[in-house]
Amino acid sequence: MSRKIAVIGMGHVGSTAAHYIVANGFADDLVLIDPNTGKVEADALDFKDAMPNLPFHTNITVNDYSALKDADVIISALGNIKLQDNPNDDRFAELPFTSTQVKDVAAKIKASGFDGIIVAITNPVDVITSIYQAVTGLPKNHVIGTGTLLDSARMKRAVADKLHIDSRSVAGYNLGEHGNSQFTAWSTVRVLGQPISKIADERDLDLAELDQEARRGGFTVFHGKKYTSYGVATAAVRLANIVLNDALTELPVSNYREEYGVYLSYPAVVGRDGIVEQVQLDLTDEELKKLQISADYIKTKFAESTAK
Amino acid sequence: MSRKIAVIGMGHVGSTAAHYIVANGFADDLVLIDPNTGKVEADALDFKDAMPNLPFHTNITVNDYSALKDADVIISALGNIKLQDNPNDDRFAELPFTSTQVKDVAAKIKASGFDGIIVAITNPVDVITSIYQAVTGLPKNHVIGTGTLLDSARMKRAVADKLHIDSRSVAGYNLGEHGNSQFTAWSTVRVLGQPISKIADERDLDLAELDQEARRGGFTVFHGKKYTSYGVATAAVRLANIVLNDALTELPVSNYREEYGVYLSYPAVVGRDGIVEQVQLDLTDEELKKLQISADYIKTKFAESTAK
Amino acid sequence: MSRKIAVIGMGHVGSTAAHYIVANGFADDLVLIDPNTGKVEADALDFKDAMPNLPFHTNITVNDYSALKDADVIISALGNIKLQDNPNDDRFAELPFTSTQVKDVAAKIKASGFDGIIVAITNPVDVITSIYQAVTGLPKNHVIGTGTLLDSARMKRAVADKLHIDSRSVAGYNLGEHGNSQFTAWSTVRVLGQPISKIADERDLDLAELDQEARRGGFTVFHGKKYTSYGVATAAVRLANIVLNDALTELPVSNYREEYGVYLSYPAVVGRDGIVEQVQLDLTDEELKKLQISADYIKTKFAESTAK
Amino acid sequence: MSRKIAVIGMGHVGSTAAHYIVANGFADDLVLIDPNTGKVEADALDFKDAMPNLPFHTNITVNDYSALKDADVIISALGNIKLQDNPNDDRFAELPFTSTQVKDVAAKIKASGFDGIIVAITNPVDVITSIYQAVTGLPKNHVIGTGTLLDSARMKRAVADKLHIDSRSVAGYNLGEHGNSQFTAWSTVRVLGQPISKIADERDLDLAELDQEARRGGFTVFHGKKYTSYGVATAAVRLANIVLNDALTELPVSNYREEYGVYLSYPAVVGRDGIVEQVQLDLTDEELKKLQISADYIKTKFAESTAK
């Protein structure tokens, strides 16, 4: 009875995800957790002040880890976005901070008895997803990172803008790290009934530029407002909904790929049992090389994070 | 063809309202305006990054006043929330700042040829709504302030919490200034099929305390997170939707009441023609006195703002 | 994990309720049951054909009573609308047919191990709700009839039409039997900030005529299209949603009132535990008399149905 | 200001489309037209009886052709489904009936001054769309048939069922006539990151059987309940929404293809200006042959219909 979602970390991203959930009635019970008690209580009250003008009702619980026991999905939005304000725009700058936080939170999640699905947004998301899985001991397919679901959306937006079409009419994936080593797997991208390579030829699209725009899209937003929120929160909540209603939707998300030995973004079928099936793409040699580099990078960073 | 909404002022409140609109497909065309170009462009891009994962598409235009010409509703969310961080928690502390901004913006709205409905959130909202009407020259019933639609929601939330019921099952109004001189008109509040006075007697509710909680609710949120956003943005978007679909819903909003000679919050029927009908309540003598005090306060402040 | 709703009876009302649920993603799992296998399978397939064009996914199970075991809400929409096509427009004409069906279905519900909430639409709804409770042995507050939630909506529509306002801005209740002995409790109806009696005086509203319109509204629809569907299905699904998200909303629904010894419509607070609190209205003597007559009528009919 | 949709023909399909619109607030103004006055008025009243329990308000106008003047989209759902109950399950059996009706209705649409977009569902839809265009004199790209948007959905449903994935995770098109000469263009179908031919080989999918299931899907539903409604109404309303918000979504719909000289289903980009861009697929020779046969069939039938 009821859809129960928890959001841990009520900064820009977590509170935007929570608002999206409350405004659309996506959860019956919503648990909000943040070490900044003042902030999370203020958000909870603000949501309650919205409810008399909303068509949906949501039961909100604040800062109670025991409430995670029967939650269906936990969205981890912990982070310290300020740390991304570095010359290299590298999401790994957040790792020392977030990995410490996440180990603590993951232990508390485990202690609560939670046995649902974790959707991690926290950056660097591929490593953080690994940490969540390692510490909680949940099955690997029950811990998922939003990964390049967001970057793929950015790629779709960039392509759609050029072609004057709906971004939902662009199919394809960004793969690898949700970070600078990611790439658009152009061999998977289709638009207007054709592989994009053909459309690119016909219409003089510069795919390298579009790839760059997808990868850099987040930083354009970040430099404009000092954080990103709507794109990633929407991706995370969509993922949570897909889990809740067992939609079995195919999406590029961060999932554990045996052949790479790490969590990285690659399309998978997602449902109530988390990663239900892993897709196998026919990538080009160049794409395979890029993916290996991205995987190696994540692996090294994960090793560093656990060495500490 | 199409619902066109503009949001002017993309701080916490404006961007939350815009997100709510985008996430729910409440507008076909959305115009976002803010003097901080970096911020508004980042928000627009962030919304576009959300769209591939959303069921709705929204066309977004940034910082183009000429796009207001055929807008249906303008939501004014200009403000400088930091100015409310004063010892008295007085929304009038924002007036010198916002009244200057609003006069400028209102002149640009007028110049655009806009002839729709303005929904003002900017504080102090009752005076700001007056300024919008005066400068744009729009009919008085086409300029509306969210006013105590939010405070009434806070009162409902406070009452509902005490009685363990849905806040949407509390009927009644906060009246007057969206500020410290407002009050809950308890004679209008009904709950569980009874006037609240009767339920209060039976269940030992302290109405004065609840009144205080409604009035102070915003500041609790404000002190917790340094701004308020979800409650007020939800109220504003609900109001915009009611205008767009000509719902003729009765709501407490800031509207011009001839007998008081000012904009203040009092229930009215709202539709595509703005304030379509003004309600006439049977208030108690004490409530009438409070309302007069609130009206006088707004009048004085408005005079000060125009004197400058 | 997941919201699971079952709809039993896939005639006009049941299939409309199911469509409303599917089109809005109100359930994760939906069980559809109907003795007409061809019809229910066709509807299920038709829903699946809609899903690629919908933002929501719903898992559909057909004609499997064992799937009710862990359902949260069962909506009973069994019926034989043709039987209402009688000279007296009396919903009790359906009783011999529906009571037989319902006893059978209720036994199967019981056998499934179901322990959620039943929302009954089947007419004559007050008696049918009693039968469901008696046969399943579920707690009285876990079996609810849509009752006059629909008739109250019709009253609101009739009043709103006269006053040119939103029907959601009319507060108040129709009470008693969801049938010809029901009545609008005008003492509970408020509109435009006033008791309706005052507005009626000012604006020459004929309350007796409006009362008649609320009571007869269903038959106007019925005679026009030989069934009614949208109003009642919307009421039932709203009720189911309120249960699922534990909204604690106050609504006039058919619930067991000790003082009358029957199920009849009277406002109550509804949540995940069904009828969570019963409201106590201050009715006029005339209204109390009408309610007693209505209760007596239901009681007699229930006795007849069990005598068979 | 406002989204205005008209539904002409309030049988099973039209009334389901109207309900979907009302229940989701997709239109501010809704015009319902049907020669059966009793039916359309009953539906309108039934919708109004739903509104007090809905979060959205819709203004409904009945049987007023002059209200079409400023409508944005007209959904034509005229039809006589009984005529499809023929041994060949041929939608052309409806042509003599619907073509007469449509000519009359199209003339009235023209007389109203309507200059929006027509979305035709009426069967045989490719010919009917031609007739609407010819009689109204609207630009060819402003008259669209739902065509194989529905059949493509059925193909997706059939493929998804076999592979245990979300039907929204199947990409590809059914092309040609929305009728027996249509076919799935398997060269366009992709699933699990691969062309379906590859997946079919790996998993022993019988594409001919799936093709048949897509084509016959409607008749399975039809034979089960004597009409189809949810799939096609959902497709039509999705199309209307895409027009209203100018989403520029790529969809297989019935649009006029110069090279075939007829309306037939082929992917196109749809927005506020109707068919905004026509897609060019790389079909196989066999698919091109099938499409030519389908086009020829439609052309012959259209010639017959105008000869009368």
Side-chain angles (χ1 to χ4, degrees):
Chain A
M1 168 82 74
S2 95
R3 300 178 183 176
K4 188 172 190 176
I5 302 180
V7 177
I8 304 185
M10 287 291 288
H12 292 292
V13 176
S15 60
T16 297
H19 179 225
Y20 184 29
I21 291 166
V22 166
N24 288 273
F26 289 143
D28 302 300
D29 298 309
L30 181 63
V31 184
L32 305 178
I33 290 181
D34 196 282
N36 182 342
T37 309
K39 172 66 161 67
V40 64
E41 287 184 347
D43 276 331
L45 196 58
D46 212 1
F47 289 140
K48 286 186 176 186
D49 287 349
M51 284 184 207
N53 289 314
L54 280 175
F56 305 103
H57 176 84
T58 312
N59 302 294
I60 298 181
T61 305
V62 168
N63 279 354
D64 177 1
Y65 271 95
S66 75
L68 302 182
K69 189 181 163 51
D70 61 348
D72 302 308
V73 177
I74 292 175
I75 296 175
S76 163
L78 291 163
N80 187 341
I81 190 71
K82 283 176 199 146
L83 299 173
Q84 283 191 30
D85 206 355
N86 58 69
N88 302 321
D89 284 340
D90 189 343
R91 292 185 177 94
F92 273 97
E94 277 197 79
L95 183 56
F97 178 81
T98 55
S99 70
T100 307
Q101 276 195 311
V102 163
K103 282 170 197 165
D104 176 52
V105 164
K108 288 177 180 160
I109 290 173
K110 186 179 183 179
S112 76
F114 172 78
D115 69 347
I117 307 293
I118 294 180
V119 170
I121 310 178
T122 303
N123 279 319
V125 74
D126 304 287
V127 168
I128 292 300
T129 305
S130 296
I131 297 176
Y132 267 118
Q133 192 277 320
V135 178
T136 60
L138 287 166
K140 282 195 172 67
N141 64 322
H142 286 193
V143 186
I144 310 174
T146 48
T148 62
L149 179 56
L150 174 57
D151 307 286
S152 300
R154 285 179 177 143
M155 175 272 289
K156 292 175 181 189
R157 180 257 301 155
V159 170
D161 266 6
K162 284 278 181 213
L163 297 175
H164 303 294
I165 57 168
D166 189 340
S167 55
R168 294 167 300 181
S169 292
V170 181
Y173 316 105
N174 277 34
L175 301 181
E177 181 207 357
H178 174 59
N180 296 331
S181 71
Q182 73 170 267
F183 63 100
T184 304
W186 290 115
S187 73
T188 68
V189 179
R190 294 180 67 85
V191 65
L192 293 170
Q194 305 280 356
I196 196 167
S197 53
K198 193 173 166 196
I199 299 287
D201 283 351
E202 288 169 15
R203 310 198 185 186
D204 262 336
L205 293 189
D206 183 339
L207 294 186
E209 186 192 307
L210 288 169
D211 187 2
Q212 183 66 359
E213 198 164 324
R215 190 188 298 107
R216 301 292 310 164
F219 294 102
T220 310
V221 174
F222 175 70
H223 291 301
K225 62 184 202 183
K226 297 302 164 196
Y227 59 92
T228 77
S229 51
Y230 303 119
V232 70
T234 304
V237 173
R238 183 182 174 206
L239 196 45
N241 284 339
I242 284 168
V243 169
L244 286 167
N245 62 33
D246 201 21
L248 303 179
T249 311
E250 184 202 321
L251 292 168
V253 290
S254 191
N255 62 112
Y256 188 82
R257 295 285 302 195
E258 201 65 46
E259 73 270 40
Y260 293 107
V262 287
Y263 273 89
L264 51 65
S265 279
Y266 200 100
V269 175
V270 181
R272 206 170 283 162
D273 193 32
I275 303 294
V276 172
E277 179 179 355
Q278 292 189 308
V279 167
Q280 193 54 50
L281 301 172
D282 280 338
L283 298 175
T284 65
D285 286 349
E286 196 197 335
E287 289 166 349
L288 284 169
K289 214 172 291 172
K290 286 181 179 172
L291 190 54
Q292 188 63 57
I293 292 170
S294 200
D296 292 346
Y297 185 74
I298 297 167
K299 201 179 279 181
T300 310
K301 289 293 183 178
F302 180 57
E304 286 175 25
S305 84
T306 52
K308 279 162 201 165
Chain B
M1 170 80 76
S2 95
R3 300 179 183 177
K4 188 171 190 176
I5 302 181
V7 176
I8 304 184
M10 287 290 287
H12 292 291
V13 176
S15 60
T16 298
H19 179 226
Y20 184 29
I21 290 167
V22 166
N24 288 274
F26 289 144
D28 303 299
D29 299 309
L30 181 63
V31 183
L32 305 177
I33 291 181
D34 196 283
N36 182 342
T37 308
K39 173 64 161 68
V40 64
E41 287 183 348
D43 277 330
L45 197 59
D46 211 0
F47 289 139
K48 286 184 176 188
D49 287 349
M51 284 184 208
N53 289 315
L54 279 175
F56 304 104
H57 176 82
T58 312
N59 302 294
I60 297 183
T61 305
V62 168
N63 278 354
D64 178 0
Y65 270 96
S66 75
L68 301 182
K69 189 181 162 52
D70 62 347
D72 301 310
V73 177
I74 293 174
I75 296 176
S76 165
L78 293 163
N80 187 339
I81 190 71
K82 283 176 198 147
L83 299 173
Q84 283 190 32
D85 206 355
N86 59 67
N88 302 321
D89 283 339
D90 188 342
R91 292 183 178 95
F92 274 97
E94 276 199 80
L95 184 56
F97 178 80
T98 55
S99 71
T100 306
Q101 276 195 312
V102 162
K103 282 170 197 164
D104 177 52
V105 163
K108 288 176 179 160
I109 290 172
K110 186 179 183 179
S112 76
F114 172 77
D115 69 345
I117 306 293
I118 294 179
V119 170
I121 309 178
T122 303
N123 279 319
V125 75
D126 305 286
V127 168
I128 291 300
T129 305
S130 295
I131 296 176
Y132 267 118
Q133 192 277 320
V135 178
T136 59
L138 288 166
K140 283 196 171 67
N141 64 321
H142 287 193
V143 187
I144 310 174
T146 47
T148 62
L149 179 56
L150 174 56
D151 307 285
S152 301
R154 286 179 176 142
M155 175 273 289
K156 291 175 182 189
R157 181 257 301 155
V159 170
D161 267 6
K162 283 280 179 209
L163 297 174
H164 304 295
I165 57 169
D166 188 339
S167 55
R168 294 168 300 183
S169 293
V170 180
Y173 316 105
N174 276 33
L175 301 181
E177 182 207 356
H178 173 58
N180 295 332
S181 70
Q182 74 171 267
F183 63 99
T184 303
W186 291 115
S187 73
T188 67
V189 180
R190 294 179 68 83
V191 65
L192 293 171
Q194 304 281 355
I196 197 167
S197 53
K198 193 174 167 197
I199 299 288
D201 281 353
E202 287 170 16
R203 309 196 185 187
D204 261 335
L205 295 189
D206 183 338
L207 295 186
E209 187 192 306
L210 288 170
D211 187 3
Q212 182 65 0
E213 199 165 323
R215 191 187 299 108
R216 300 293 310 164
F219 295 102
T220 310
V221 174
F222 175 71
H223 292 301
K225 63 183 200 182
K226 296 301 167 200
Y227 59 92
T228 78
S229 51
Y230 304 119
V232 70
T234 303
V237 173
R238 182 183 175 206
L239 195 46
N241 284 340
I242 284 168
V243 168
L244 286 167
N245 62 33
D246 202 21
L248 303 180
T249 312
E250 185 202 319
L251 293 168
V253 289
S254 190
N255 63 113
Y256 188 83
R257 295 285 302 196
E258 201 65 46
E259 74 271 39
Y260 292 108
V262 287
Y263 273 89
L264 52 66
S265 279
Y266 200 101
V269 176
V270 180
R272 206 170 282 161
D273 193 32
I275 302 295
V276 172
E277 180 179 355
Q278 293 188 307
V279 166
Q280 194 53 52
L281 301 171
D282 281 338
L283 298 174
T284 65
D285 286 348
E286 197 195 335
E287 290 166 347
L288 284 169
K289 215 173 289 173
K290 285 179 180 174
L291 189 54
Q292 187 64 56
I293 291 169
S294 199
D296 292 344
Y297 185 72
I298 297 167
K299 202 180 278 183
T300 308
K301 288 293 182 179
F302 179 58
E304 286 173 25
S305 84
T306 51
K308 279 162 202 167
Chain C
M1 171 82 74
S2 95
R3 299 178 184 176
K4 187 171 190 176
I5 303 181
V7 177
I8 304 184
M10 287 291 285
H12 292 291
V13 175
S15 61
T16 297
H19 179 227
Y20 184 30
I21 290 167
V22 167
N24 287 273
F26 288 143
D28 302 301
D29 299 310
L30 181 63
V31 183
L32 306 178
I33 291 181
D34 196 281
N36 182 342
T37 308
K39 173 64 162 67
V40 65
E41 287 185 347
D43 275 331
L45 196 59
D46 210 1
F47 289 139
K48 286 185 176 190
D49 287 348
M51 285 185 206
N53 289 314
L54 278 176
F56 304 103
H57 176 84
T58 311
N59 302 294
I60 297 182
T61 305
V62 168
N63 278 353
D64 177 0
Y65 271 95
S66 74
L68 301 182
K69 187 181 163 54
D70 61 347
D72 303 308
V73 177
I74 292 174
I75 296 175
S76 163
L78 292 164
N80 186 340
I81 191 71
K82 282 176 200 147
L83 299 173
Q84 283 190 32
D85 207 355
N86 58 68
N88 301 321
D89 284 339
D90 188 342
R91 292 182 178 96
F92 273 98
E94 277 198 80
L95 184 55
F97 177 80
T98 56
S99 70
T100 305
Q101 276 194 311
V102 163
K103 281 171 197 164
D104 176 54
V105 164
K108 288 175 179 163
I109 291 173
K110 186 178 184 181
S112 76
F114 173 77
D115 70 346
I117 306 293
I118 294 179
V119 170
I121 309 178
T122 302
N123 278 320
V125 75
D126 304 287
V127 168
I128 292 299
T129 306
S130 295
I131 296 175
Y132 267 118
Q133 193 277 321
V135 178
T136 60
L138 288 167
K140 283 196 170 67
N141 64 321
H142 285 195
V143 186
I144 309 174
T146 48
T148 62
L149 180 55
L150 173 57
D151 306 286
S152 300
R154 287 179 175 143
M155 175 272 290
K156 290 175 182 189
R157 181 256 301 155
V159 170
D161 267 6
K162 283 279 182 211
L163 297 175
H164 304 294
I165 57 170
D166 188 340
S167 56
R168 295 168 299 183
S169 291
V170 179
Y173 316 105
N174 276 35
L175 302 181
E177 182 208 355
H178 173 56
N180 296 332
S181 70
Q182 73 170 268
F183 62 100
T184 304
W186 291 114
S187 73
T188 68
V189 180
R190 294 180 67 84
V191 65
L192 293 170
Q194 304 281 355
I196 198 167
S197 55
K198 194 174 164 196
I199 300 288
D201 282 353
E202 285 170 17
R203 310 196 186 188
D204 261 336
L205 295 188
D206 182 339
L207 296 185
E209 187 192 306
L210 289 169
D211 187 1
Q212 181 67 358
E213 198 164 326
R215 191 186 300 108
R216 301 293 310 165
F219 294 102
T220 309
V221 174
F222 175 70
H223 291 301
K225 63 183 200 182
K226 296 300 164 200
Y227 59 93
T228 79
S229 51
Y230 304 119
V232 70
T234 304
V237 173
R238 182 182 175 206
L239 195 46
N241 284 339
I242 285 168
V243 168
L244 285 168
N245 62 32
D246 201 20
L248 302 180
T249 312
E250 183 203 321
L251 292 168
V253 289
S254 190
N255 63 113
Y256 188 83
R257 297 283 304 194
E258 200 66 46
E259 74 270 39
Y260 293 107
V262 286
Y263 274 90
L264 51 66
S265 279
Y266 199 102
V269 176
V270 180
R272 207 169 283 162
D273 193 31
I275 302 295
V276 172
E277 180 180 354
Q278 293 189 308
V279 167
Q280 193 54 50
L281 302 171
D282 281 338
L283 297 174
T284 65
D285 287 348
E286 196 195 336
E287 289 166 347
L288 285 169
K289 214 172 292 174
K290 286 179 180 173
L291 190 54
Q292 189 63 58
I293 291 169
S294 199
D296 292 345
Y297 185 74
I298 298 166
K299 200 179 281 184
T300 309
K301 289 293 182 178
F302 180 56
E304 286 174 23
S305 84
T306 52
K308 279 162 202 166
Chain D
M1 170 81 75
S2 95
R3 300 179 183 177
K4 187 171 190 176
I5 302 180
V7 177
I8 304 184
M10 288 290 287
H12 291 292
V13 175
S15 60
T16 297
H19 179 226
Y20 184 28
I21 291 167
V22 166
N24 287 273
F26 288 144
D28 303 299
D29 298 309
L30 181 64
V31 183
L32 305 178
I33 291 182
D34 197 280
N36 182 342
T37 308
K39 173 65 162 67
V40 64
E41 287 185 348
D43 276 331
L45 195 59
D46 210 1
F47 289 140
K48 287 187 175 187
D49 287 348
M51 286 186 206
N53 289 315
L54 279 175
F56 305 104
H57 176 84
T58 312
N59 302 295
I60 297 181
T61 304
V62 169
N63 278 354
D64 177 2
Y65 271 95
S66 74
L68 302 181
K69 187 180 165 54
D70 62 347
D72 301 310
V73 177
I74 292 174
I75 296 175
S76 163
L78 292 162
N80 187 340
I81 190 70
K82 283 176 201 147
L83 299 174
Q84 284 190 31
D85 206 355
N86 58 70
N88 302 321
D89 283 340
D90 189 341
R91 292 182 179 97
F92 274 98
E94 275 198 81
L95 184 57
F97 178 80
T98 55
S99 70
T100 306
Q101 275 195 313
V102 163
K103 282 171 197 165
D104 176 53
V105 164
K108 288 177 180 160
I109 290 173
K110 187 179 183 179
S112 77
F114 173 76
D115 70 346
I117 307 294
I118 294 179
V119 170
I121 309 178
T122 302
N123 279 321
V125 74
D126 304 287
V127 168
I128 292 299
T129 305
S130 295
I131 297 175
Y132 266 118
Q133 191 277 322
V135 178
T136 60
L138 288 167
K140 283 195 170 66
N141 65 321
H142 285 193
V143 186
I144 310 173
T146 47
T148 62
L149 180 56
L150 173 57
D151 307 286
S152 301
R154 286 178 176 144
M155 176 273 290
K156 292 175 180 188
R157 181 257 300 156
V159 170
D161 267 6
K162 284 278 180 212
L163 297 174
H164 302 295
I165 58 169
D166 188 340
S167 56
R168 294 168 301 182
S169 292
V170 179
Y173 316 105
N174 276 34
L175 302 181
E177 181 207 356
H178 173 58
N180 296 332
S181 70
Q182 73 171 268
F183 63 100
T184 303
W186 290 114
S187 73
T188 69
V189 179
R190 293 180 68 84
V191 65
L192 293 170
Q194 305 280 358
I196 197 167
S197 54
K198 195 174 164 195
I199 300 287
D201 282 352
E202 289 170 16
R203 310 197 185 187
D204 262 336
L205 293 189
D206 182 339
L207 294 187
E209 185 192 308
L210 288 169
D211 188 1
Q212 182 67 359
E213 197 165 326
R215 190 185 300 106
R216 301 292 310 164
F219 295 102
T220 310
V221 174
F222 175 71
H223 291 301
K225 63 184 199 180
K226 297 301 165 197
Y227 59 92
T228 77
S229 51
Y230 303 119
V232 70
T234 304
V237 173
R238 183 183 173 204
L239 195 46
N241 284 339
I242 283 169
V243 168
L244 286 168
N245 63 32
D246 202 21
L248 302 180
T249 311
E250 185 203 320
L251 293 168
V253 289
S254 191
N255 62 114
Y256 188 83
R257 297 284 301 195
E258 201 65 46
E259 73 271 39
Y260 293 107
V262 287
Y263 274 89
L264 51 65
S265 278
Y266 200 100
V269 176
V270 180
R272 207 170 282 162
D273 193 32
I275 301 295
V276 172
E277 181 179 354
Q278 291 189 309
V279 167
Q280 193 53 51
L281 301 171
D282 281 339
L283 298 175
T284 65
D285 287 348
E286 195 196 336
E287 288 166 349
L288 284 169
K289 214 172 292 173
K290 285 180 180 171
L291 189 54
Q292 188 64 56
I293 292 169
S294 200
D296 292 345
Y297 185 73
I298 297 168
K299 201 179 280 183
T300 310
K301 288 294 183 178
F302 179 56
E304 287 174 25
S305 85
T306 51
K308 278 162 202 165

